[in-house]
Amino acid sequence: MSDTPFGFGLPPEEPEDGDEGKKKDQQSGGGQGPANPFGFGGLPGAGGFGGPGGPGADNPFAAMFGSLNPTDLGAAFQQLGQMLSYEGGPVNWDMAKQIARQTVSQGTADGTKDASVGPAERRAVEEAIRLADLWLDDATSLPSGAGSAVAWSRAEWVEATLPAWQELVDPVAERVGTAMGDVLPEEMQAMAGPLIGMMRSMGGAMFGTQIGQAVGVLAGEVIGSTDIGLPLGPAGKAALLPVNVEAFGKDLGVPKDEVRLYLALREAAHQRLFAHVPWLRSHLFGAVDGYARGIKVDTAKLEDVVGQFDPQNPEQLQDALQQGMFQPEDTPEQKAALARLETALALVEGWVDAVVHAAAKPRLSSADALRETLRRRRASGGPAEQTFATLIGLELRPRRLRDASRLWASLTDARGVDGRDALWHHPDMLPTATDLDDPDGFVHREQIDFSELDKMLGEAASGSAEKPNLKKDDGSTGDDKGDGTE
């Protein structure tokens, strides 16, 4: 680490010849005189309005902010205040939402701007999802899970999905916040308590900025609420983003109505699965959390960043986050957590792919082309997904989508729709990563009926509740005879 904590410059020394010495320093531009009372080093733009010898030389605030116009100055103070006053969790989610909405308002790289959804677009989305649900009735035994159909703008998608992102990102960000305090020696931590609090506040703000930018970019790419295989929106709301649906189908040569309907099928299929498999959401989010617990922070890189931290250049911390500080621990537990997560995502996306294809193939001439386009899109991932991979060390995309889709299709042929969907009754009934390697072996394997086991466990739990196993003070049960015999 550097000799001065967090890279702060040394405070200005008092000249031996008093006021005369101060004047000489000001005139020569040497030392760190009144133009820089905090010892922060040279500031960007200080050579202009607030530079040495300039009109702001006697005014430290002019030296610090003189190059900014009043509007930028107010925004800078506001952002600095938000960063330093934040006392919430590991991520400043207020700032994340603000940055995400700003990113959305700038539009996407192709020049597409966000816009409020009009009545005609809302009706088109509602009708597409209603028709999609009718078609899915023949392709799955799971009933409709969409209590309502909504058409979102990109900004509305940001608002609706931030709670889910918070659940996904907070565990990793918490590890970073803790690591930021731990990189200082214990004896220095006692002295720098307020400074550590400031660093954590700024860390929360920087994380919020990065998450906000990534969510904002992702809002320009997603089509609905389940694009990454996780339920990001409110339960029971099937959602499409008309502006992104149109951008997706722009160069495909497929009628707009068919594109919208195919995408509505995917959204409605996801809603059925998450609505009627009650353990699935917690299973997926739990897998993400289990993976996050095995991530270790590169403390050497973090210590280097903190040791050289310059308060006038907080982008250093932001750049460090972008470069990635997270490394999965190379342990059997971490490898197993990653395998569980990748398999779960693949099974969800594979089931949706198989069910949607079964519903769309007889009815849409473009079903095959749209299916392949979405598979490639899902497999490659966009810039926002890559940003999240850097931030939380995890790529949220199914690597084995095609394998899983083939397995679900084979199960449909062998056991029918009801037999296939019955596997979602219990997590232990689902295929594993090994089963994706040998789908035929899984399809023809005798399956365990977990319904009887659940019934037995329920009865046992009920019996235990009715007849507790009370113990005496000496540790024996009330059934002991006290004669020493068995």
Side-chain angles (χ1 to χ4, degrees):
M1 290 180 61
S2 61
D3 295 332
T4 53
F6 300 100
F8 278 44
L10 293 173
E13 296 181 2
E14 187 70 23
E16 294 180 359
D17 48 354
D19 291 341
E20 291 300 319
K22 294 181 182 178
K23 292 177 181 177
K24 289 177 183 177
D25 265 348
Q26 290 181 35
Q27 292 169 359
S28 65
Q32 292 182 332
N36 194 359
F38 302 107
F40 283 179
L43 290 157
F49 179 75
D58 293 331
N59 183 344
F61 292 102
M64 294 172 71
F65 300 114
S67 61
L68 299 175
N69 62 48
T71 302
D72 292 338
L73 180 61
F77 272 122
Q78 182 180 13
Q79 187 168 14
L80 183 62
Q82 288 177 339
M83 292 170 65
L84 297 182
S85 64
Y86 179 69
E87 297 180 352
V91 177
N92 188 330
W93 287 102
D94 292 336
M95 182 167 287
K97 180 166 72 172
Q98 176 185 343
I99 296 296
R101 292 183 68 94
Q102 289 174 354
T103 304
V104 164
S105 67
Q106 294 170 3
T108 52
D110 62 0
T112 305
K113 296 287 187 179
D114 192 24
S116 299
V117 180
E121 291 175 315
R122 293 189 187 279
R123 284 195 300 271
V125 168
E126 291 170 359
E127 291 171 2
I129 291 177
R130 189 182 306 115
L131 182 57
D133 255 338
L134 289 175
W135 289 6
L136 288 172
D137 285 340
D138 297 331
T140 174
S141 61
L142 299 180
S144 174
S148 61
V150 293
W152 284 337
S153 66
R154 293 168 178 169
E156 288 172 325
W157 182 89
V158 168
E159 295 278 352
T161 62
L162 272 180
W165 290 119
Q166 184 171 355
E167 189 173 347
L168 287 169
V169 174
D170 269 352
V172 180
E174 182 67 46
R175 294 179 67 85
V176 178
T178 301
M180 289 179 73
D182 292 345
V183 295
L184 287 178
E186 290 186 10
E187 60 274 13
M188 189 176 292
Q189 290 185 26
M191 299 168 55
L195 199 55
I196 293 174
M198 183 191 77
M199 287 295 296
R200 286 179 174 169
S201 294
M202 295 191 72
M206 294 305 173
F207 234 117
T209 300
Q210 289 298 303
I211 295 295
Q213 289 174 345
V215 170
V217 174
L218 194 57
E221 302 174 355
V222 295
I223 296 164
S225 69
T226 53
D227 283 40
I228 66 168
L230 298 173
L232 298 178
K237 281 192 176 182
L240 291 180
L241 283 70
V243 64
N244 290 356
V245 170
E246 184 171 356
F248 171 80
K250 185 177 180 181
D251 299 320
L252 296 181
V254 177
K256 183 178 179 179
D257 290 344
E258 286 196 22
V259 173
R260 185 192 303 113
L261 185 50
Y262 192 88
L263 298 176
L265 281 166
R266 289 184 54 82
E267 179 71 10
H270 276 104
Q271 293 295 332
R272 288 186 180 224
L273 192 58
F274 287 114
H276 299 290
V277 182
W279 53 265
L280 182 57
R281 186 185 189 280
S282 60
H283 179 76
L284 287 170
F285 278 74
V288 173
D289 183 63
Y291 180 82
R293 283 197 302 269
I295 291 175
K296 60 183 179 181
V297 179
D298 187 347
T299 53
K301 180 183 290 187
L302 182 59
E303 182 174 351
D304 183 60
V305 171
V306 173
Q308 301 179 24
F309 178 70
D310 184 352
Q312 72 190 36
N313 186 22
E315 290 81 5
Q316 286 179 336
L317 190 57
Q318 184 171 325
D319 292 342
L321 288 174
Q322 286 179 320
Q323 293 167 10
M325 290 185 183
F326 316 112
Q327 303 169 350
E329 293 186 6
D330 191 19
T331 63
E333 293 79 12
Q334 180 68 352
K335 290 178 180 178
L338 180 59
R340 282 195 303 272
L341 179 57
E342 289 184 339
T343 302
L345 287 172
L347 290 175
V348 168
E349 290 296 282
W351 183 88
V352 168
D353 180 77
V355 167
V356 168
H357 185 69
K361 177 70 173 175
R363 299 176 174 95
L364 295 178
S365 59
S366 57
D368 288 334
L370 289 170
R371 183 190 201 187
E372 187 59 29
T373 299
L374 282 162
R375 280 181 166 185
R376 291 179 179 178
R377 181 178 187 266
R378 193 72 179 88
S380 62
E385 287 192 29
Q386 294 166 11
T387 301
F388 280 114
T390 301
L391 284 171
I392 65 176
L394 178 63
E395 294 179 348
L396 293 172
R397 62 174 182 261
R399 299 180 183 277
R400 307 195 63 181
L401 167 59
R402 294 177 187 271
D403 294 337
S405 182
R406 281 194 293 268
L407 187 147
W408 288 118
S410 298
L411 283 168
T412 307
D413 294 338
R415 304 183 190 179
V417 168
D418 291 344
R420 177 201 66 198
D421 293 346
L423 294 179
W424 291 106
H425 289 169
H426 196 284
D428 289 341
M429 296 176 68
L430 289 177
T432 64
T434 304
D435 295 324
L436 293 179
D437 295 329
D438 181 22
D440 289 336
F442 179 83
V443 168
H444 299 291
R445 186 186 310 157
E446 189 69 26
Q447 296 296 306
I448 301 174
D449 185 0
F450 281 88
S451 60
E452 288 299 320
L453 177 60
D454 288 340
K455 182 179 178 182
M456 292 171 59
L457 291 174
E459 291 175 351
S462 176
S464 298
E466 293 173 1
K467 186 179 179 181
N469 187 23
L470 300 177
K471 292 188 177 183
K472 297 180 181 179
D473 291 340
D474 62 358
S476 62
T477 65
D479 293 335
D480 289 343
K481 304 299 183 182
D483 56 2
T485 61
E486 289 292 328

